Amino acid sequence: MSRWFYSLLLFAVLAVALEWLHVEIPPLLRFGCAALGILPLAALIGRAVEAVAEHTGERIGGLLFATFGNVTELIIGLFALSEGLVDVVRASIIGSILGNILLVLGVATMVGCLKHGRLRFETRPASQYASLLALCIAGLLLPAVAELLASRAGQSHIVERGIQLSDFIAVLLLLGYLASILFSVFRFRDHPAEGVEESGESFEPVLGARSEAALLRLLSYRQHLAHSNLPNKSGVLRELDRTLQAMVSAERAEATPAAAAGSPSPTPATGTGDAPSEQREATRGTARQQSAPPSEAAGEKKPNLWLALLLLAAATAGVAIVSDILVASIEPFTELLGWNPAFVGLVFLPLIGGLPEYFNTINMALDKRMGMVLAASAGSSIQIALLVAPILVLGSLLAPQRLDLVFSIVEIAVLALGAFLFSEITHDGELVWLEGLLLILLYAIMGGTVFLFGA
């Protein structure tokens, strides 16, 4: 993220100062200061997690990325629940999911394809994302359908049973999230069956893309490059792709079946029989040197762990304080502009919480890293549905009003259409700018419908 972006921290300081000094300002200015102040704080959380991941290694670092990936949306949602803004929280859940798989993926696809043409990616992770999105839709769709059918049948205690069903589904979604973490981070039972050759690349359905035989701590390395100001960043990323291909080729050559290795083969007139092995070792040595994390490749020291932890704690506390101010200004803000709360929850709050991540995703598309784009957009939506939404539902036990997973017809319709469109445009392993435009148009249709008629 550019350094000028962190100058927006002045708005966070201004919002806190005006709140503590009890200075009366127009709701629009109060909402704007708090919204602009949250943006750099959310970016600082990401940078702090990257620094901590340099010390913890790939697995724990990946777990930190998964945990803190949507902490801003979670904090805003918890404060909104404490204020009794259940409709806003419910809309923000759907808005965060749709914002990632429609708006972010659509803009990134359009920008990347207009610059480079058709962009290709592996179909295996896209299929896993689509499968997890189907689970998310089922958990968010069934309570609304069940309540609708129960109301038509004239059943009693519909609201109470809807809350009970939402609590039950929230627990199951959390179990699904824990299972995905177990698979993605700790690679539990993620190996090919006997006699089946493993492909060179393996992908994580929640955390993103990773090659087991290639880069160490790929997530922290990629994030470091995405946030760096290196003038040749695109070239470094392209070199990283070439390194991956070289390492995969070397591993495949090593994995040649013994029968093939034992068969007679022509030997060059000059050179030794160990030349292929020496060549593979040289390839792997070059790849390891090229794929080392930036701090190791350049001989730089790792970031200070305690300073990174302090930054993480301070940024999280700052998001909590400014989120309280932001949530308190939602009702006066919507009344002043005549907007309905559902529109603010569906559009504004997700943009505020995820804008730094959105910029990083677009930069990945400009570097032709569409696998990372899918990981950032679809993976973030999955985290919202499997982690943030269940925590908010269960956390509403301590709130003035309970939160359930009973969404409106408009919300669940757009969610189902968004997941269907995502599955359709990603099943063939390539994206074009038209498909990105379709995602953006569907998001705009949803925004216009909610703005005029509410959710």
Side-chain angles (χ1 to χ4, degrees), residues 6-67:
Y6 295 103
S7 63
L8 296 178
L9 285 170
L10 294 175
F11 288 97
V13 176
L14 179 61
V16 174
L18 293 175
E19 181 69 16
W20 286 358
L21 294 176
H22 303 286
V23 177
E24 293 293 335
I25 59 174
L28 183 61
L29 292 179
R30 187 184 183 191
F31 183 88
C33 287
L36 292 175
I38 282 182
L39 297 179
L41 290 172
L44 285 176
I45 290 178
R47 292 194 62 179
V49 171
E50 295 163 21
V52 173
E54 288 285 337
H55 296 268
T56 59
E58 183 182 9
R59 290 184 176 180
I60 303 301
L63 184 60
L64 289 174
F65 277 114
T67 303

Side-chain angles (χ1 to χ4, degrees), residues 10 92 109 225 229 270 280 284 288 302 418 431:
L10 294 175
S92 68
T109 300
L225 287 179
N229 295 320
T270 60
R280 288 196 298 269
R284 281 206 299 260
R288 280 195 297 267
K302 290 182 179 180
L431 291 171

